[in-house]
Amino acid sequence: MSGIKFEPGRIVATPGALEAFRASGEEPLAYLVRHLGGDWGDVDADDRKENELSREHGWRILSCYRLSSGVRIWLITEADRSVTTFLLPEEY
């Protein structure tokens, strides 16, 4: 994948996120590509700035996307880049 701005580490998903993808018929890969490419999705301007600083300084990165079903999905890459997790906001 070209355009990757940081390494994701291990990629995991919570049961709720997996069920949301199953119910929507969408695939997680498209959202992972967006996240790794710096498209943070539905976050506000402050969170966008924070993500850019986080990318440069090795801090935690958060993206938020809305599936076609209307369900919101978060992707969080940990500061040490060991893992990226798909989860529902209420699972945080």
Side-chain angles (χ1 to χ4, degrees), residues 26-78:
E26 294 180 77
E27 294 293 328
L29 182 59
Y31 294 95
L32 179 63
V33 169
R34 288 176 63 185
H35 177 70
L36 296 177
D39 171 357
W40 315 123
D42 298 331
V43 297
D44 64 23
D46 289 336
D47 286 335
R48 288 181 189 285
K49 282 185 198 174
E50 186 67 26
N51 278 345
E52 289 301 326
L53 286 172
S54 296
R55 191 177 58 79
E56 293 170 20
H57 296 285
W59 302 329
R60 189 185 72 160
I61 298 172
L62 166 71
S63 293
C64 176
Y65 307 103
R66 192 168 299 277
L67 301 180
S68 61
S69 62
V71 172
R72 287 180 32 189
I73 293 284
W74 283 1
L75 270 87
I76 297 176
T77 299
E78 297 302 328

